C-alpha cells in the first residue's frame, strides 16, 4: 500500500463535505431494507432534483435536451434519464447500472408456525445467496410491499412496508447441544433459519398474526390485504467503524452502495445538460440471475431507449447508432483483500479497501471489461483525481458474475464491469471503505460530465 494513498484517505475523512456524503449513504442504506424501499428512496431524491415520474404505460411524447425523467418497473427497478444536448443517435448515452436487490429471506405464504410454549416462528425461503450463519442472533425486521384491494381485480394497490423496530430473530442452537459448531455446520434452508416472531398466550392469536402486524403498520382493513412480498432485514442501522471511522458496516452494501454512488453522480450533474444522455439503471433480481421483467435480462431498458430515440424524431436506425456511441459502467461491488485469507486472492491483482474503484476482469467473459473499456474507465478515474485498482479471480476460484454481460444480450453495449472493494459479500453485515465511496462518486460524476 502506497503511503500517499493512506495520507489521501485521512484527508478525505476530515472534510465536512465528505462526512455528509457518507452520512447520506448510511441514511440511504437504512431507508432501503429491501429493493422496493431502495427504489422509493431513489425516486424521492430524483423528484426532489427535478426528475419527473413518467408512467411507462403512457406515451413518451418528448425527450428534449435537458429533460429529466424516470420510470419504474414492478416498484423494484428504476431507470432515470437526463436527456443530452445532442440527439441520442449522435452522442449516444452514458449509463451507470447497478442492482437494488440483496440476499435475504422471503416470507412464505401461510408463514406462521405455532410451536410448543406458544412460540410462533415464520416459514421463509432463501432469496439469493446469503451467508446464512450471519443472519443468526441479531435483531431483524420485516420489509417489502403489501398488495391491498383496489377499484377492481386488475388494479390492486401497492403499499410499502418497513417495520421500524426489531421484530424477529433467528436464534442459534446453544454450543452445549452442538460442540462442533465452531468447526463449521451445515445449515438447512428449511429447518435452521426460521425466525422467531414472538410468544402468544392464546392459540387463536396465531391465525393472522402477520396480517395483524401489517394491518396495524399500514392502517388498512385485514380483509383488504390480498398478498405481500415481504422479506427479512437487519434491524441495526448502518454505521462507520475503525480507528479513524474509515470503514462502513451495513447490510446490502452490495449493491446499494453502487446504486447510491450512481445517484449522487447523476444528481451532481442535474443542473447542467451534457452532450450525451445520462442514464442511471437500477435493476432488481441480480442475485437470482436477472431473468425477470424488472431484471437486467429484460428488454425493458432497451425499449425505453428506443422510445427516447423515436421521441426525438429518430428511427430505429438512430437507436442502433446510439448504442454504438454509448458506454456503460456496470457497477457491482468487488472483493477486497481479506487479511485473514490472503491465499484466496490472485497473487498480483487483489484490490485493497480504500484503494479506489476496482475494474474486474475475467478471461471467460463473465465481466464486460476488456482492455479498451478498462482503459476508458481508468482514464476517467485519472481525470477525476481518483486511484483505481484491478481485480481478477485466483485462477482456482470460480468467482461471481454480474449485470454487464446479461444486459449485453438485449443491448450490445461497450462497457466496463467495476465496483468498490468490500469484505464479507452477502453477509448480513458487510464491510466497505469510506474513502472508496467518495472516490467512486467522483469517478461517476466525471463519467457523466
Ligand atoms: Co452484487
Amino acid at each position: 500500500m502506497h503511503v500517499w494513498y493512506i495520507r489521501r484517505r485521512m484527508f478525505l475523512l476530515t472534510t465536512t463535505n465528505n462526512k455528509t456524503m457518507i452520512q447520506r449513504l448510511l441514511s440511504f442504506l437504512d431507508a432501503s431494507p429491501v429493493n422496493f424501499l431502495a427504489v422509493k428512496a431513489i425516486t424521492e431524491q430524483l423528484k426532489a432534483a427535478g426528475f419527473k415520474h413518467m408512467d411507462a404505460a403512457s406515451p413518451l411524447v418528448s425527450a428534449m435536451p435537458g429533460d429529466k425523467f424516470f420510470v419504474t418497473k414492478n416498484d423494484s427497478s428504476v431507470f432515470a434519464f437526463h436527456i443530452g444536448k445532442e440527439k441520442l443517435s449522435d452522442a449516444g448515452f452514458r449509463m451507470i447500472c447497478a442492482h437494488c436487490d440483496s440476499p435475504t429471506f422471503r416470507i412464505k405464504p401461510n408463514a406462521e408456525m405455532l410451536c410448543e410454549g406458544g412460540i410462533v416462528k415464520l416459514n421463509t425461503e432463501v432469496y439469493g445467496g446469503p451467508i446464512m450463519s450471519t443472519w443468526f442472533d441479531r435483531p431483524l425486521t420485516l420489509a417489502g410491499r403489501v398488495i391491498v384491494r383496489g377499484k377492481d381485480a386488475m388494479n390492486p394497490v401497492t403499499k410499502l412496508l418497513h417495520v421500524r423496530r426489531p421484530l424477529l430473530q433467528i436464534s442459534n442452537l446453544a454450543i452445549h447441544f452442538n460442540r462442533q459448531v465452531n468447526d463449521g455446520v451445515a445449515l438447512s434452508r428449511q429447518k435452521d433459519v426460521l425466525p422467531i416472531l414472538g410468544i402468544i398466550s392464546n392459540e387463536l392469536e396465531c391465525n393472522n398474526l402477520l396480517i395483524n402486524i401489517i394491518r396495524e403498520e399500514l392502517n388498512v382493513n385485514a380483509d383488504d390485504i390480498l398478498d405481500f412480498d415481504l422479506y427479512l432485514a437487519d434491524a441495526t442501522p448502518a454505521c462507520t467503524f475503525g480507528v479513524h471511522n474509515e470503514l462502513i458496516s451495513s447490510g446490502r452494501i452490495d449493491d446499494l452502495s453502487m446504486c447510491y454512488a450512481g445517484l449522487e453522480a447523476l444528481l451532481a450533474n442535474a443542473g447542467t445538460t451534457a452532450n450525451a444522455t445520462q442514464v442511471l439503471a437500477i435493476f432488481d433480481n441480480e442475485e437470482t440471475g436477472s431473468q425477470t421483467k424488472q431484471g437486467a435480462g429484460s428488454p425493458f431498458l432497451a425499449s425505453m431507449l428506443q422510445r427516447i430515440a423515436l421521441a426525438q424524431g429518430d428511427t430505429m436506425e438512430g437507436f442502433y447508432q446510439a448504442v454504438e456511441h454509448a458506454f456503460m459502467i456496470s457497477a457491482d461491488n468487488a472483493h477486497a483483500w481479506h487479511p485473514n485469507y490472503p491465499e484466496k486472492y490472485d497473487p498480483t491483482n487483489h484490490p485493497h479497501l480504500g484503494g479506489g474503484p476496482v475494474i474486474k476482469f475475467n478471461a471467460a467473459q463473465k465481466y464486460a471489461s476488456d482492455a479498451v473499456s478498462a482503459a476508458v474507465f481508468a482514464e476517467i478515474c485519472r481525470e477525476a483525481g481518483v486511484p483505481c485498482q484491478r481485480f481478477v479471480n485466483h485462477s482456482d476460484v470460480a468467482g461471481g458474475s454480474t449485470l454487464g454481460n446479461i444486459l449485453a444480450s438485449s443491448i450490445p453495449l461497450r462497457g466496463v464491469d467495476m465496483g468498490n472493494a468490500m469484505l464479507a459479500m452477502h453477509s448480513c453485515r458487510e464491510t466497505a471503505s469510506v474513502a472508496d465511496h467518495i472516490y467512486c462518486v467522483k469517478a461517476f460524476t466525471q463519467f457523466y460530465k
Side-chain angles (χ1 to χ4, degrees), residues 245-259:
N245 278 315
E246 67 274 53
L247 296 165
I248 299 170
S249 166
S250 173
R252 310 171 304 283
I253 289 174
D254 169 20
D255 189 32
L256 292 183
S257 64
M258 292 292 102
C259 294

Side-chain angles (χ1 to χ4, degrees), residues 100-152:
C100 62
D101 64 320
S102 303
T104 176
F105 297 83
R106 181 188 157 86
I107 310 301
K108 287 182 176 174
N110 306 308
E112 299 96 332
M113 300 170 83
L114 180 57
C115 310
E116 260 190 63
I119 290 186
V120 179
K121 59 181 184 179
L122 287 188
N123 192 7
T124 63
E125 187 176 10
V126 174
Y127 176 86
I131 305 177
M132 292 200 295
S133 62
T134 62
W135 285 75
F136 284 73
D137 304 332
R138 63 170 72 239
L140 301 173
T141 190
L142 283 178
R145 68 176 174 183
V146 174
I147 311 304
V148 299
R149 182 165 290 120
K151 65 181 185 330
D152 58 50

Side-chain angles (χ1 to χ4, degrees), residues 99 254-255 286-287 332:
H99 67 90
D254 169 20
D255 189 32
E286 190 275 342
E287 300 294 356
D332 199 356

Side-chain angles (χ1 to χ4, degrees), residues 24 58 68 71 90 110 118 151 180 198 227 233 288 298 302 327 339 357 398 403 424-425:
R24 287 200 297 274
S58 302
K68 292 181 288 219
V71 290
D90 296 332
N110 306 308
K151 65 181 185 330
Q180 284 75 47
D227 214 328
T288 55
S298 162
F327 194 90
L403 301 162
M425 190 178 282

Side-chain angles (χ1 to χ4, degrees), residues 63-214:
M64 300 295 288
D67 279 359
K68 292 181 288 219
F69 56 90
F70 67 90
V71 290
T72 61
K73 185 83 173 167
N74 189 50
D75 310 311
S76 66
S77 63
V78 52
F79 307 91
F81 306 92
H82 184 173
I83 304 299
K85 277 188 209 142
E86 293 185 30
K87 275 168 78 168
L88 210 57
S89 52
D90 296 332
F93 48 92
R94 294 197 180 180
M95 178 157 74
I96 295 174
C97 54
H99 67 90
C100 62
D101 64 320
S102 303
T104 176
F105 297 83
R106 181 188 157 86
I107 310 301
K108 287 182 176 174
N110 306 308
E112 299 96 332
M113 300 170 83
L114 180 57
C115 310
E116 260 190 63
I119 290 186
V120 179
K121 59 181 184 179
L122 287 188
N123 192 7
T124 63
E125 187 176 10
V126 174
Y127 176 86
I131 305 177
M132 292 200 295
S133 62
T134 62
W135 285 75
F136 284 73
D137 304 332
R138 63 170 72 239
L140 301 173
T141 190
L142 283 178
R145 68 176 174 183
V146 174
I147 311 304
V148 299
R149 182 165 290 120
K151 65 181 185 330
D152 58 50
M154 292 303 289
N155 293 286
V157 175
T158 298
K159 290 186 179 285
L160 300 187
L161 178 76
H162 180 190
V163 179
R164 289 183 176 270
R165 71 175 176 95
L167 186 66
L168 312 102
Q169 187 150 309
I170 304 170
S171 294
N172 249 305
L173 183 65
I175 192 168
H176 311 79
F177 298 121
N178 184 7
R179 294 285 179 188
Q180 284 75 47
V181 66
N182 292 324
D183 303 332
V185 174
L187 294 173
S188 157
R189 295 150 83 92
Q190 184 60 64
K191 175 181 165 58
D192 294 309
V193 289
L194 303 189
I196 293 171
L197 179 60
I199 303 173
I200 57 172
S201 49
N202 173 347
E203 229 174 274
L204 289 175
E205 207 193 326
C206 188
N207 303 331
N208 300 322
L209 194 58
L210 198 50
I211 292 292
N212 282 333
I213 293 168
I214 296 169

